[in-house]
Amino acid sequence: MKFTLHIWRQENARAKGHFETYEIDNISADCSFLEMLDQLNEKLINDKIAHPVCFDNDCREGICGMCGLYINGRPHGNDDGVTTCQLHMRHFHDGDEIWVEPWRAKAFPIIKDLVVDRTAFDKIIQAGGYISATTGGVPDANNILIPKHKADQSMDAAACIGCGACVAACKNASAMLFVGAKVSHLALLPQGKPEAADRVKKMVCKMDELGFGGCTNTYACEAECPKQIKRQNIARLNRCWIAQAFGRDRRED
Amino acid sequence: MNLPKIHSITKKLFVALVGGFLLLFLLFHMTANLFILRHDDGQWYSDFCHFMGTNWVVKIFEIGLLGFIALHILLTIWLAVTNRLARPVRYHQPSRSKTHPGSKLMIWTGILIFVCLGLHFYDFYMVKVGVVKGEYMVSVENIGKAMQEQPNAMFDEEVIGFLDKIQKSGQLSMGSDMIHHLTYEDKETLKRLLPGSDPEPDFYYMTREKFSHLHIVIGYLIFFVIIFFHLMHAFPSAFQTLGLNNYKYNPIIEALGKIYTWIIVLGFAAVPILVYLGL
Ligand code: HEM
Ligand code: SF4
Ligand code: FES
């Protein structure tokens, strides 16, 4: 297959970026988007055309969340429920023009070309995405009973890989789907209950502080999430927020 | 400048609570508007307006409503600005992600509603408060009472002349106890000559008169197309914001939102269409 690529090139966070256009040919329909970019980079290096295009990636099997690209107006491109590394060129037509942009958000500054700094997500997790558990021997599995549906929902929320596609898709660059997932997978389990109120407060405050936008219930995040995290997690986040706002001050317990 | 720190979710909660109140109010307003469709010389509608204009509970409600609308607008604009700032560099390609219908237009449909509300206020609320001149009416009973209070008026040339003029002009229709189509000057004269007669704005005929003009009917219908898009998203969105949302209820809430929106829009739109067609 043959494509015309318009790729965002930017030397560093402060430099002014621009689109660069490259033609590429002989791409197999079964190759992934990142493999296609690999072939482009090979060509750029061998033919001494330009520095290779920088893009983030790690596992290349859809589980690490590193590889976010904004392709033709959709985070992770034109397929549902996949990351960019799992997007295959068969989802494009021969001769297509493809626009590749980095995630755009105040909280995700560009490092180089298509690579953005998603440390903001780590900071939100550090603010409250943990539980306090005593270490020691392995507890008996039946000590804490958890209803199956709760375990399932918690597991679904825990599937979030922190890729940032929700922020990239959202017209407000809001991180509510991510925070909703991170609050939910703990709030749904008994182990997460003791810190539930503090957790939601700290994580939401951090999210606001880092410059993410607010949720307007547009649900572009849900449509683009490679792990198909549901909007119900945002509703749960709202519920937890209301509960902590009306709950009594934990210092008085 | 040090703006008070209100968290994004809290702001949104207030938008949803106030918005929910506005949704209920619209239902109430629409029901009242349907009274205009009755060919009863405005009896039901005027009674309703009279109640709304004089009851003190309604007065408190009215101030609350104005405050709520202001709060809704202030918070949503504040949110829209901070949300816009969260993405200083925009994408080159327009977003092709699936979104909830109407959700990306909220601030624009909202601002357009605000502008139309301004016109609406000019036409009706300002007449009610007395800042703008409209059309007035007075009840025969009230004139009788006022005459009893000032027996001398019966012999006053000016009063007799004025009442004669009204009677001749056919403004007192048969079987009705109201005199309609009084001008602002008529109203002032009445107030001067018979202070107790208490003329009121005649919203029934004012509305019917307005809806006899095609451009007003069309403008009004466009207004409700805009409201349609605001409400289509607003109703289910408020539930999501308040956390009243789960797998089981979502389809029901979505369906109720569509039913509610259609009822509101068709209910409001029926009035200008039927009045214009003379039905
Ligand atoms: C006819 C009167 C109105 C009604 C019944 C109404 C109702 C609502 C409701 C129920 C919501 C959903 C809240 C949520 O998403 O949780 C909403 C959102 C919104 N309204 Fe209104 N509204 C009205 C007028 C206005 C006006 C005059 C504006 C002017 C700016 C406005 C701007 C907005 C915006 C921007 C949102 C989205 C807020 C967000 O998602 O952050 N609305 N409205
Ligand atoms: S919620 Fe989905 S889109 Fe957002 S970071 Fe997690 S996996 Fe990525
Ligand atoms: S590279 Fe790990 S998810 Fe794509």
Side-chain angles (χ1 to χ4, degrees):
Chain A
M1 299 173 91
K2 190 173 152 60
F3 300 105
T4 306
L5 302 166
H6 304 280
I7 297 182
W8 185 258
R9 308 293 316 250
Q10 182 171 336
E11 202 43 50
N12 55 50
R14 256 152 296 147
K16 204 169 140 29
H18 64 281
F19 280 100
E20 199 71 67
T21 303
Y22 306 106
E23 303 285 340
I24 188 157
D25 206 348
N26 289 328
I27 298 290
S28 149
D30 293 329
C31 104
S32 80
F33 200 83
L34 297 189
E35 284 161 351
M36 185 274 293
L37 288 181
D38 288 340
Q39 291 177 47
L40 171 72
N41 276 343
E42 224 171 273
K43 186 176 141 194
L44 294 184
I45 296 168
N46 289 344
D47 300 352
K48 299 201 169 54
I49 299 173
H51 288 297
V53 176
C54 289
F55 59 91
D56 233 335
N57 68 102
D58 189 8
C59 69
R60 295 213 175 188
E61 55 179 4
I63 55 171
C64 75
M66 290 303 289
C67 60
L69 296 177
Y70 194 83
I71 304 161
N72 284 350
R74 288 188 65 185
H76 295 308
N78 185 28
D79 191 9
D80 292 336
V82 296
T83 52
T84 304
C85 59
Q86 297 292 298
L87 174 71
H88 291 90
M89 297 317 290
R90 54 178 169 271
H91 291 286
F92 296 86
H93 299 289
D94 196 20
D96 268 0
E97 278 194 46
I98 305 177
W99 293 82
V100 192
E101 301 176 65
W103 285 175
R104 297 272 186 212
K106 185 176 163 212
F108 289 164
I110 290 182
I111 297 174
K112 187 172 181 180
D113 294 345
L114 303 170
V115 182
V116 301
D117 181 357
R118 286 177 298 120
T119 312
F121 270 7
D122 297 331
K123 289 190 183 146
I124 293 177
I125 304 241
Q126 282 157 9
Y130 50 80
I131 60 162
S132 305
T134 41
T135 52
V138 180
D140 184 78
N142 292 325
N143 265 357
I144 305 174
L145 296 177
I146 300 168
K148 170 93 167 71
H149 70 276
K150 291 247 170 180
D152 285 350
Q153 285 180 47
S154 171
M155 198 60 198
D156 286 348
C160 165
I161 52 178
C163 65
C166 42
V167 176
C170 177
K171 76 177 179 64
N172 314 316
S174 171
M176 289 281 280
L177 191 65
F178 169 78
V179 179
K182 294 303 170 196
V183 162
S184 289
H185 79 96
L186 296 176
L188 282 160
L189 299 180
Q191 291 90 337
K193 287 280 185 282
E195 282 140 332
D198 276 355
R199 177 181 311 117
V200 63
K201 190 168 180 190
K202 286 180 183 161
M203 289 177 84
V204 169
C205 289
K206 192 47 110 183
M207 168 188 97
D208 281 352
E209 182 194 315
L210 290 166
F212 291 104
C215 182
T216 48
N217 304 340
T218 303
Y219 312 135
C221 51
E222 187 186 49
E224 300 302 354
C225 173
K227 297 297 148 185
Q228 299 182 319
I229 304 289
K230 294 281 173 276
R231 69 182 75 162
Q232 278 75 6
N233 291 291
I234 299 181
R236 187 177 296 104
L237 177 63
N238 290 336
R239 277 202 295 281
C240 291
W241 178 262
I242 297 171
Q244 71 76 28
F246 285 103
R248 59 203 195 115
D249 195 321
R250 305 278 322 284
R251 286 168 299 185
E252 291 164 23
D253 278 358
Chain B
M1 194 169 58
N2 252 337
L3 286 173
K5 181 93 201 105
I6 309 176
H7 296 289
S8 56
I9 301 185
T10 307
K11 270 182 235 156
K12 198 55 205 289
L13 282 174
F14 279 107
V15 172
L17 283 174
V18 169
F21 176 82
L22 295 181
L23 291 180
L24 285 177
F25 170 74
L26 272 189
L27 211 50
F28 175 72
H29 193 323
M30 182 207 74
T31 315
N33 276 19
L34 290 177
F35 291 171
I36 297 175
L37 289 176
R38 284 175 58 91
H39 294 280
D40 62 352
D41 224 7
Q43 271 176 23
W44 279 34
Y45 192 64
S46 301
D47 279 355
F48 169 79
C49 289
H50 182 79
F51 171 75
M52 296 299 285
T54 47
N55 189 292
W56 63 271
V57 180
V58 177
K59 284 237 152 55
I60 295 176
F61 223 68
E62 199 172 273
I63 296 170
L65 181 68
L66 291 179
F68 274 178
I69 294 179
L71 186 66
H72 188 79
I73 295 174
L74 279 177
L75 284 175
T76 51
I77 290 182
W78 186 358
L79 277 167
V81 170
T82 42
N83 288 346
R84 177 67 178 70
L85 293 177
R87 176 167 294 136
V89 183
R90 315 299 286 179
Y91 288 111
H92 176 271
Q93 289 286 295
S95 167
R96 293 192 177 84
S97 304
K98 268 198 257 12
T99 52
H100 194 262
S103 64
K104 285 164 101 178
L105 299 172
M106 288 307 268
I107 189 68
W108 307 116
T109 50
I111 288 174
L112 284 172
I113 293 173
F114 180 63
V115 172
C116 296
L117 271 184
L119 290 175
H120 182 60
F121 266 54
Y122 182 81
D123 277 351
F124 291 93
Y125 194 70
M126 289 298 158
V127 172
K128 180 167 153 180
V129 195
V131 179
V132 174
K133 293 177 188 176
E135 203 174 309
Y136 303 84
M137 62 183 179
V138 67
S139 82
V140 178
E141 196 188 331
N142 276 356
I143 290 194
K145 264 195 216 142
M147 297 279 264
Q148 270 171 9
E149 278 164 23
Q150 323 160 234
N152 288 344
M154 265 199 277
F155 310 107
D156 190 311
E157 295 261 316
E158 213 184 341
V159 176
I160 296 170
F162 183 72
L163 293 180
D164 217 38
K165 182 194 124 203
I166 292 181
Q167 210 159 21
K168 287 214 182 85
S169 66
Q171 281 154 295
L172 176 65
S173 47
M174 286 302 287
S176 165
D177 50 5
M178 298 302 277
I179 303 172
H180 293 281
H181 308 299
L182 297 176
T183 63
Y184 180 77
E185 286 69 33
D186 287 341
K187 182 199 82 165
E188 289 299 303
T189 314
L190 256 180
K191 270 190 163 170
R192 181 165 53 82
L193 298 176
L194 297 169
S197 60
D198 200 19
E200 288 181 89
D202 190 353
F203 290 118
Y204 178 80
Y205 278 110
M206 272 165 70
T207 313
R208 285 192 155 259
E209 199 280 323
K210 281 195 197 307
F211 287 155
S212 65
H213 303 287
L214 188 60
H215 67 278
I216 292 185
V217 172
I218 291 174
Y220 194 82
L221 292 180
I222 293 175
F223 180 29
F224 276 92
V225 172
I226 299 166
I227 289 193
F228 176 86
F229 285 107
H230 201 77
L231 297 185
M232 266 300 184
H233 177 66
F235 188 98
S237 179
F239 283 85
Q240 167 84 358
T241 303
L242 297 171
L244 303 171
N245 177 328
N246 66 32
Y247 295 101
K248 188 167 161 189
Y249 297 151
N250 266 1
I252 302 174
I253 293 170
E254 282 286 332
L256 279 179
K258 290 197 179 100
I259 294 170
Y260 169 88
T261 307
W262 277 111
I263 290 181
I264 289 289
V265 170
L266 292 181
F268 272 105
V271 178
I273 295 176
L274 295 182
V275 168
Y276 183 77
L277 297 177
L279 296 172

